[in-house]
Amino acid sequence: MKKNLLVAQSGGPTAAINATLAGVIGQAMKEEQIDQVYGACYGIQGVLEQKFVNLTEKVDTEEKLEKLKRTPAAALGSCRFKLNDIKEDDSQYQEIVDILHKMNIGYFVYIGGNDSMDTVAKLSAYCKEKGVEDIKVIGGPKTIDNDLALTDHTPGFGSAARYVASTVREITIDANVYEKKSVTIVEIMGRHAGWLTAASALARKYTGDNPLLIYLPETAFDQEEFLKAVEKSFEKNCNVIVCVSEGIHDDKGTFICEYDNSVGTDTFGHKMLAGCGKYLENLVRNRLGVKARSVELNVSQRCSASMMSATDQQEAIKAGEFGVQAALNGETGKMISFIRKETSDGTYIMECGLEDVNAICNEEKTVPPEWITEDGSDVTEAFINYARPLIQGTVQIPCGEDGLP
């Protein structure tokens, strides 16, 4: 008997999350074992609320599938919904299983980041505990933060890294028009992992080019040492670009943004970070007496399709296709991973694999210490070699008659 496949998206969107969705849809529609492909609107919350769309009917042409691959954000909608602790209350899990059975769902691909993999782990564990063998749950990786464990990198990171590097390069050129000393602080997403901020190093065209200083949350941030570093940087360029992760913190673990703001928390208990760039802007202006400005890239990092990396898009599609095949092969409670293959000539090759989602959820992969300079103000060439292949290739985004995508 044929089964249906369900796919959903969760967490913060990326430029490539719909490419993974397209990979799932396209592969599922080729498989004889799969009847209909459904999408849950607004993630696992949408499953509980039974907000479904028939993607077999909705995405019924190759043209629509191609458009989906080049569309940013999450086409099915997203959520930040935390399921109950399974040990305290498993009623939500049984409700989900009942809904999936009612819809004849045999395969569920959930595309998202760390918290989404927690959902995959919990649901697959419940199915195993209750002997529900006819529902296979697979996690599709996604996050611009690149902080999922047991994978070389994540879909979405390459495009966001390309956006950051391109934007920082343009900011650098803009800043260089003046002879007067100036400091531009660029605040980039990254709570505990500085992968995306590190990508700003790709903006450099030569040794000694801006950004002259890069600070990641993997190391403690010292304000006095920072001011000294800025002053010393004026010896190289009167216009200094500094890139900082939103999650930079002092040696006591206090976020720099907390020096100036009261910080709230989201539904998962994570502090909502913003404002370290503005704080450092004022610090530089008041202490060093030079012109200072701050730029917060914010959601632009994750929603820009115009900077989409072709490598990122292609790998995101491949991840979706691989996830469907894994589910059909009986895999469950696994996340699709990326494996970088070493070649004698240095050619970049990526293959898909599977990892136990229990070893991934609620873990964070940070930038290795050896990829950060000893004083914590820059990244090494090893990071550049790691990141550069991921931003390659340009995706042509069709424009309408108004000249816009």
Side-chain angles (χ1 to χ4, degrees):
M1 178 182 172
K2 287 187 175 184
K3 291 281 189 176
N4 298 325
L5 180 141
L6 178 66
V7 60
Q9 300 167 305
S10 181
T14 79
I17 190 172
N18 285 335
T20 299
L21 175 61
V24 170
I25 298 169
Q27 187 64 39
M29 292 173 81
K30 294 176 185 176
E31 301 290 350
E32 291 185 2
Q33 297 156 265
I34 296 174
D35 184 16
Q36 300 293 304
V37 183
Y38 289 97
C41 300
Y42 312 110
I44 198 68
Q45 186 173 3
V47 175
L48 284 164
E49 295 172 359
Q50 300 187 55
K51 294 179 178 178
F52 301 112
V53 59
N54 189 320
L55 296 173
T56 307
E57 298 173 356
K58 192 81 171 175
V59 190
D60 57 352
T61 65
E62 190 64 31
E63 181 186 7
K64 290 180 181 178
L65 205 59
E66 287 301 315
K67 284 182 178 179
L68 185 58
K69 294 174 184 176
R70 293 178 280 199
T71 302
L76 291 172
S78 187
C79 72
R80 292 192 183 277
F81 184 83
K82 192 175 183 67
L83 291 173
N84 294 333
D85 187 326
I86 198 168
K87 294 178 182 177
E88 296 178 5
D89 179 11
D90 66 2
S91 59
Q92 283 182 326
Y93 301 90
Q94 187 57 52
E95 186 178 354
I96 291 169
V97 169
D98 290 343
I99 290 169
L100 297 185
H101 276 155
K102 183 177 72 174
M103 295 185 62
N104 192 34
I105 301 295
Y107 316 101
F108 180 24
V109 180
Y110 200 39
I111 307 168
N114 212 311
D115 294 322
S116 304
M117 294 308 111
D118 181 60
T119 298
V120 172
K122 287 176 177 177
L123 183 57
S124 58
Y126 179 82
C127 288
K128 182 178 180 180
E129 180 187 334
K130 299 299 181 181
V132 181
E133 298 180 355
D134 58 345
I135 298 175
K136 308 301 180 186
V137 189
I138 295 291
K142 170 264 4 161
T143 175
I144 64 170
D145 294 325
N146 198 39
D147 60 352
L148 288 176
L150 303 184
T151 182
D152 181 80
H153 58 282
T154 53
F157 171 67
S159 294
R162 191 175 196 222
Y163 176 88
V164 166
S166 299
T167 303
V168 170
R169 178 171 284 189
E170 290 170 344
I171 289 171
T172 295
I173 294 170
D174 179 89
N176 283 341
V177 303
Y178 299 107
E179 282 188 314
K180 190 176 180 181
K181 284 184 179 180
S182 72
V183 177
T184 301
I185 313 288
V186 184
E187 182 181 333
I188 299 166
M189 285 181 173
R191 181 182 304 273
H192 300 299
W195 296 99
L196 200 53
T197 303
S200 64
L202 296 168
R204 295 169 179 152
K205 292 183 283 186
Y206 52 85
T207 302
D209 192 12
N210 270 307
L212 291 172
L213 298 169
I214 298 173
Y215 293 96
L216 314 183
E218 280 81 356
T219 59
F221 183 87
D222 184 298
Q223 295 185 63
E224 296 305 319
E225 291 302 315
F226 162 70
L227 291 170
K228 290 177 185 177
V230 171
E231 282 195 298
K232 187 170 180 60
S233 294
F234 285 134
E235 298 173 8
K236 298 178 181 178
N237 194 322
C238 65
N239 300 294
V240 176
I241 309 297
V242 182
C243 292
V244 298
S245 293
E246 62 182 348
I248 55 172
H249 55 83
D250 63 21
D251 59 357
K252 296 181 179 63
T254 302
F255 290 115
I256 298 305
C257 66
E258 293 184 83
Y259 280 57
D260 208 25
N261 299 306
S262 58
V263 180
T265 59
D266 63 17
T267 54
F268 287 90
H270 305 319
K271 289 184 177 180
M272 294 183 290
L273 308 183
C276 71
K278 178 60 69 174
Y279 174 79
L280 294 177
E281 171 194 337
N282 292 328
L283 181 70
V284 167
R285 184 186 296 112
N286 295 334
R287 292 285 300 277
L288 301 184
V290 299
K291 179 181 177 181
R293 65 163 64 89
S294 60
V295 180
E296 185 184 352
L297 299 190
N298 211 300
V299 296
S300 300
Q301 298 155 91
R302 72 187 193 195
C303 71
S304 176
S306 61
M307 294 290 183
M308 191 185 297
S309 152
T311 297
D312 189 26
Q313 184 203 51
Q314 290 159 11
E315 291 181 347
I317 295 167
K318 188 173 181 180
E321 295 170 344
F322 189 84
V324 172
Q325 294 168 334
L328 289 174
N329 288 333
E331 298 286 358
T332 190
K334 301 288 181 66
M335 187 193 83
I336 305 144
S337 65
F338 285 170
I339 304 165
R340 187 181 301 224
K341 294 294 184 179
E342 297 293 333
T343 60
S344 57
D345 61 356
T347 302
Y348 170 75
I349 298 175
M350 188 283 294
E351 293 181 0
C352 288
L354 290 172
E355 296 290 345
D356 184 348
V357 75
N358 290 289
I360 296 169
C361 63
N362 304 314
E363 297 290 334
E364 283 183 305
K365 180 185 71 176
T366 55
V367 178
E370 61 270 23
W371 289 4
I372 304 171
T373 57
E374 192 172 343
D375 65 357
S377 69
D378 205 348
V379 295
T380 67
E381 193 65 24
F383 172 81
I384 300 294
N385 295 335
Y386 163 84
R388 185 174 282 126
L390 311 182
I391 68 169
Q392 300 304 312
T394 300
V395 177
Q396 296 301 320
I397 308 297
C399 291
E401 292 181 2
D402 61 357
L404 299 176

